[in-house]
Amino acid sequence: MHVSIVGSGYVGTTVAAAFADAGHRVTAIDIDPAVVEGLNAGESPIEEPGVGALIAEYGGEELIATTEFGRAAGSELTLVAVPTPTGPDGAIDASYVASAVESLDAVVDDEHVIAIKSTVVPDALRTEIAPLVDGPTLATNPEFLREGTALEDFRNPHKLVFGADESAERAYDLLAELYAPIRRATEAEPAVIRTGRDAAMLIKYANNAFLASKISLINDIGNIAKQHGIDAYEIADAIGTDPRISDQFLRSGVGYGGSCFPKDIKSIINSATEQGYEPLMLEATTELNDRQPERLLELFDQYVDPEGEQVAVLGLAFKPGTDDTRNSRAIPVIEGLDARGADVVGYDPVATLDGHDIEHADTAAEALAGAHGALVVTDWDEFAALDEEFDRMAEPVVVDGRRIVERREGITYEGLTW
Ligand code: NAD
């Protein structure tokens, strides 16, 4: 099959690489000429395990990148995977999707199916996107992959969600054909959900709302456990044996970040509120998440007055396995340290954080040497192996937001919820 994919970011590049590897011909369309040039030279614009090797193999061959939307005309189906950020009030900014859809609508024929993979609230889809499509079929195909394990997730989906209203059978058939090689290659057969265009998107929001709320709930319980001097992970291990709860997403700590959970929860809250419903649970989920970094800083305050001192922040990426720092919990932690007058030295194995008042160290050892305390924000495996590096700290206080460093002699160790 020949498929076009608009947007070559974390989602678009992973999906393009996986489909090329699955035997499809892929046209990747992006407005950024540097991204396009890189892809055609076999260089991935994103850091994701396994993706770089596939782009090196297929880039410029089975996967051809371009800035020209007209090239989508040669394919039957186009997936749109461009950003859907939120404004300060949480309202979704659907303008990237609108612009991509408008450009596509001008070049593809009426047989073409445009499937939105970007996460868009149903009302924006109805009022801002659907009116731009005149002829082709507009469908939705939300994505559930996680950064850090994007390729593996995409190749082993729990579910495939196909949303369409007009010409639904044709849209479902094309999407089914697109995913057929993925389904054949995966061990566990995914659920295939054929539903309406808006319902497919609401499935995506409900999925993220559940997972984000599960994190905030275990953080709430974790904060209570800490009040009693009880290890929240012991509690989580016990309740996780109940299949109704499951042991997934039960690691309490400094909260969720990234480009999806924070913005998706905010946009669905905003969308519901605009239409007269206040989603109390989701508001609490967001508020609790926003407070966790401040709790980490308050723990730190009990041991260190960081004014004028060097403080280490370990981990800048929003989670291990990615270089993505969007909405990383490191950001409020660094802002809090800045407000306290600290000189922040950050270290991350792959990520850098631009636009913030920090110095980047090349190694964890360098960040820790001479530091008056360290705050751990991302659970990169290498932080678990740190040992003698702590001996070089001026004040060996480690406040861990991810339970990755082990409590040990010679350092003052505080876990956020344990
Ligand atoms: P990203 O920011 O990593 O990449 C977006 C790409 O789109 C960039 O390369 C940019 O140059 C390009 N672009 C922007 N406007 C364009 C336009 N008009 N035409 C063509 N290209 C354009 O974004 P992402 O993280 O891949 O997210 C894309 C969408 O997928 C978002 O709606 C997001 O919510 C959703 N999503 C993301 C994830 C994730 O883990 N990142 C998971 C599931 C769903």
Side-chain angles (χ1 to χ4, degrees):
M1 190 173 181
H2 181 184
V3 60
S4 303
I5 300 172
V6 180
S8 298
Y10 285 90
V11 172
T13 305
T14 304
V15 171
F19 280 144
D21 190 47
H24 293 318
R25 250 176 72 211
V26 179
T27 298
I29 302 169
D30 202 287
I31 45 169
D32 186 338
V35 166
V36 166
E37 223 171 276
L39 280 169
N40 286 332
E43 288 156 19
S44 170
I46 55 144
E47 184 79 38
E48 268 298 328
V51 172
L54 293 184
I55 296 296
E57 188 174 346
Y58 300 112
E61 310 272 341
E62 291 83 354
L63 188 169
I64 299 208
T66 177
T67 53
E68 289 167 32
F69 278 79
R71 300 281 283 276
S75 61
E76 295 158 281
L77 172 70
T78 300
L79 300 177
V80 175
V82 298
T84 46
T86 46
D89 56 353
I92 195 164
D93 173 1
S95 64
Y96 299 85
V97 178
S99 153
V101 165
E102 216 169 12
S103 307
L104 285 168
D105 186 66
V107 293
V108 298
D109 61 27
D110 289 1
E111 296 299 297
H112 202 91
V113 172
I114 301 172
I116 308 296
K117 204 171 240 322
S118 297
T119 310
V120 185
V121 287
D123 40 316
L125 199 60
R126 271 195 310 274
T127 60
E128 296 177 48
I129 309 300
L132 302 172
V133 183
D134 180 23
T137 298
L138 181 67
T140 48
N141 171 224
E143 182 50 55
F144 300 90
L145 63 76
R146 296 162 298 177
E147 281 178 35
T149 50
L151 184 62
E152 200 192 321
D153 288 351
F154 186 72
R155 283 172 162 171
N156 299 288
H158 298 121
K159 57 185 170 296
L160 297 170
V161 181
F162 305 154
D165 296 338
E166 301 94 38
S167 312
E169 284 312 318
R170 182 177 154 70
Y172 296 153
D173 287 350
L174 276 181
L175 285 164
E177 192 185 333
L178 178 68
Y179 283 94
I182 302 279
R183 285 177 66 185
R184 273 197 299 273
T186 182
E187 280 163 27
E189 177 72 6
V192 179
I193 294 140
R194 294 180 169 85
T195 184
R197 200 160 63 199
D198 292 358
M201 275 304 162
L202 203 52
I203 289 170
K204 169 66 185 171
Y205 280 99
N207 211 90
N208 277 1
F210 247 90
L211 295 175
S213 298
K214 194 170 180 189
I215 295 173
S216 277
L217 182 55
I218 197 63
N219 284 341
D220 218 9
I221 289 166
N223 295 338
I224 295 170
K226 183 79 180 175
Q227 282 186 316
H228 295 282
I230 293 170
D231 180 349
Y233 280 65
E234 210 180 295
I235 308 294
D237 285 348
I239 61 174
T241 59
D242 186 330
R244 293 168 305 175
I245 295 174
S246 107
D247 57 0
Q248 307 255 311
F249 275 67
L250 278 187
R251 290 177 59 83
S252 53
V254 71
Y256 58 78
S259 67
C260 290
F261 283 178
K263 89 169 165 68
D264 291 350
I265 309 308
K266 281 180 187 149
S267 17
I268 198 69
I269 291 175
N270 178 276
S271 157
T273 312
E274 292 262 294
Q275 289 162 75
Y277 174 69
E278 191 187 359
L280 291 176
M281 269 290 294
L282 296 182
E283 283 176 353
T285 292
T286 299
E287 192 170 338
L288 216 136
N289 195 59
D290 289 345
R291 286 190 198 176
Q292 288 305 92
E294 193 49 44
R295 290 186 63 83
L296 192 75
L297 288 159
E298 282 165 10
L299 264 184
F300 189 66
D301 286 339
Q302 292 177 17
Y303 299 96
V304 180
D305 175 5
E307 188 165 5
E309 308 289 5
Q310 176 193 326
V311 175
V313 171
L314 298 183
L316 303 173
F318 84 90
K319 65 190 267 191
T322 180
D323 61 345
D324 194 347
T325 56
R326 289 176 288 185
N327 270 308
S328 167
R329 301 294 80 193
I331 296 168
V333 167
I334 289 165
E335 283 169 356
L337 288 169
D338 279 344
R340 287 161 171 79
D343 296 327
V344 182
V345 179
Y347 167 70
D348 190 284
V350 296
T352 51
L353 198 53
D354 299 325
H356 294 272
D357 193 11
I358 63 164
E359 201 181 298
H360 288 92
D362 291 332
T363 60
E366 190 186 316
L368 291 169
H372 292 252
L375 295 101
V376 185
V377 181
T378 316
D379 42 347
W380 286 103
D381 283 345
E382 71 168 74
F383 298 155
L386 292 172
D387 188 13
E388 286 160 8
E389 291 82 355
F390 293 120
D391 298 341
R392 298 165 64 195
M393 296 176 75
E395 269 184 272
V397 173
V398 178
V399 178
D400 192 349
R402 298 289 184 198
R403 202 186 173 92
I404 185 74
V405 173
E406 263 187 52
R407 209 179 284 277
R408 72 193 63 217
E409 270 186 34
I411 61 173
T412 301
Y413 178 89
E414 277 286 356
L416 184 54
T417 60
W418 56 96

